[in-house]
Amino acid sequence: MAALNRKALVHADQEIGVIRPELHSHFAEHVGSCVYGGIWVGKNSPVPNVNGFRRAAVDYVRELGVPVLRWPGGCFADGYHWRDGIGPAAKRPKTVNKHWGGYTEDNSFGSHEFVEFCRLIGAEPYFAANVGSGSPEEMRDWIEYCNQPSGTTLAEERAANGSREPFNVRYWGVGNELWGCGGHFTAQRAAEEYRRFAACARTVGGLEPYLIGCGPDGNNVQWTRGFMDTLAGYHMDGYSMHFYSTGTLPPLQYTAEAMYAQLNSFPRLEQGIIQQRNLLDEHEPNRRIGLLLDEWGVWDRMTAEDEHRNGRLWQQGSMRSAVAAGLGLNIFNRQADKLSMCNIAQIVNVLQAVLITDGPEGRNCVRTTSYYAFMLFKPHRSKISVHVETDGSEQQTLPDLSLSASRQGGELVATLVNPRHDADMQVDCEVRGATPRQSRAEILYDPDINAHNSFEDPNRVVIRPHPVAFENGRIRVALPAMSVATVTLQVS
Ligand code: AHR
């Protein structure tokens, strides 16, 4: 194992912006076993549950803290008609999940169940409305059904269906991936659709909906130019881009080469955030349009066996995924002034999930490596991101030391990622603009890039305390190969 020395610098007095907790948000789609068999097992299930929600999943994600949860898709959203998912479950229509395998969707998990789950875990709901096969009136009625306190037929219908209290859903996506599964629109047509739908979406029950237009696949600048030109200053609260870090191998069979190819997408993600932000700023310099990255994460090669056993897009996480999460979350900290929300895809079982369960009949629920990576970033929430420098560069062929830091009052938090499988790093980090007084650190690491938490060994990769030294305004921390570490300093 090689030993590398790395220098880093934290400018504790050079502020970037608040790290909105929303940058640590999640996404739940009706695909594979994310909802059915993951979050939702049904009230009569032998799996321990709270009102039909898998108890272990509720407990784990509540502890993690999910600021916002996006639902019901994804591609599923543009085929979803919300009326199918309300009323007595036994009477709900059975439909076909056309995007994800053509299996029968019994609609037993609908708006009421989703909002109840959000309340159980303390998340704010984010609904993605149907543009591809829906209408502006359908979205308008969904907003009224959710948010009108009383006095209208839709509010009474919600009350009759079990919730006199309005759902108070603020975030509304106007379609999903309109350049693809959402309807194969051109950017110009997508912006026209946005205007048509947004014109119908009014403030209900005193709650102004936060409307999110459909942004590009990755950093497609043509899409954003076309969309924003056609929008022509029409009001839009948020604009969502999607960026997946695709990989070529099944989740637990990665080679170092394939891992580096995947991890090297992260500098492109950072570049994409900067460029998309600039494009929005050209059209609306006061930054009243929030930039969302409402789908991101590693997307590995699926195996037919995993998908057959556990559902579409089922993906186990590994130490590689945790490192990827660390690289992504460090970017969001560093670009905190440019982002309003980021949603990892997805919360349970699907893609870069924070929990996996063993399929619809299973009783097990395991916290993945990404769960713990997110935990290591929790102390950054609501702090002010500050400038950092590293001498390792993320721009070269091999990913190198990644760092972000944030401060609030007397607490300074820094997260460091060593994405190299073949090198330990000794990091010498100078802190300017504050004097460290006390320090502690926690680490997640495993030298095996394919190490993971399984039903047999659920605690293989977990957070452990880690030594950190400080002296004369510098901290010294050893970062083993494949590690994510958070250092918390009391500063004056
Ligand atoms: O997250 C899985 C899929 O990826 C979503 O349904 C879609 O929006 C994206 O292409």
Side-chain angles (χ1 to χ4, degrees), residues 236-257:
M236 181 172 71
D237 300 291
Y239 182 69
S240 81
M241 62 188 283
H242 289 177
F243 190 104
Y244 281 102
S245 299
T246 49
T248 50
L249 294 177
L252 302 183
Q253 295 171 32
Y254 263 74
T255 59
E257 195 189 9

Side-chain angles (χ1 to χ4, degrees), residues 30-222:
H30 288 229
V31 50
S33 52
C34 180
V35 172
Y36 298 110
I39 293 167
W40 178 252
V41 292
K43 295 180 184 165
N44 302 320
S45 170
V47 177
N49 67 84
V50 194
N51 244 354
F53 305 97
R54 185 187 289 269
R55 183 182 291 280
V58 169
D59 290 347
Y60 287 149
V61 293
R62 192 176 45 214
E63 193 186 347
L64 179 61
V66 172
V68 177
L69 186 59
R70 177 174 180 250
W71 174 86
C75 293
F76 181 80
D78 284 290
Y80 183 65
H81 300 287
W82 66 270
R83 282 203 150 277
D84 293 346
I86 59 170
K91 292 200 173 146
R92 295 184 194 175
K94 294 196 173 28
T95 52
V96 176
N97 186 331
K98 295 179 197 74
H99 278 291
W100 298 115
Y103 64 79
T104 302
E105 163 67 60
D106 72 4
N107 285 298
S108 53
F109 191 95
S111 303
H112 287 256
E113 289 75 20
F114 177 66
V115 168
E116 190 181 345
F117 181 65
C118 286
R119 287 181 180 151
L120 280 172
I121 65 171
E124 190 169 348
Y126 165 5
F127 281 21
N130 179 349
V131 169
S133 64
S135 67
E137 296 75 22
E138 187 179 3
M139 177 170 119
R140 177 200 62 200
D141 288 352
W142 201 8
I143 297 175
E144 185 180 322
Y145 182 87
C146 292
N147 293 350
Q148 177 68 30
S150 60
T152 69
T153 306
L154 285 167
E156 293 313 317
E157 190 177 4
R158 183 193 66 241
N161 286 332
S163 185
R164 188 150 287 288
E165 280 298 300
F167 295 156
N168 296 327
V169 180
R170 194 160 74 92
Y171 293 111
W172 292 88
V174 182
N176 169 76
E177 297 194 350
L178 295 184
W179 37 263
C181 61
H184 295 281
F185 293 109
T186 61
Q188 289 73 13
R189 176 75 196 284
E192 281 163 10
E193 288 297 311
Y194 173 85
R195 291 162 56 132
R196 213 160 69 86
F197 275 68
C200 277
R202 302 224 172 76
T203 298
V204 172
L207 183 64
E208 192 184 342
Y210 182 100
L211 298 177
I212 299 154
C214 173
D217 180 15
N219 181 22
N220 183 338
V221 294
Q222 278 77 26

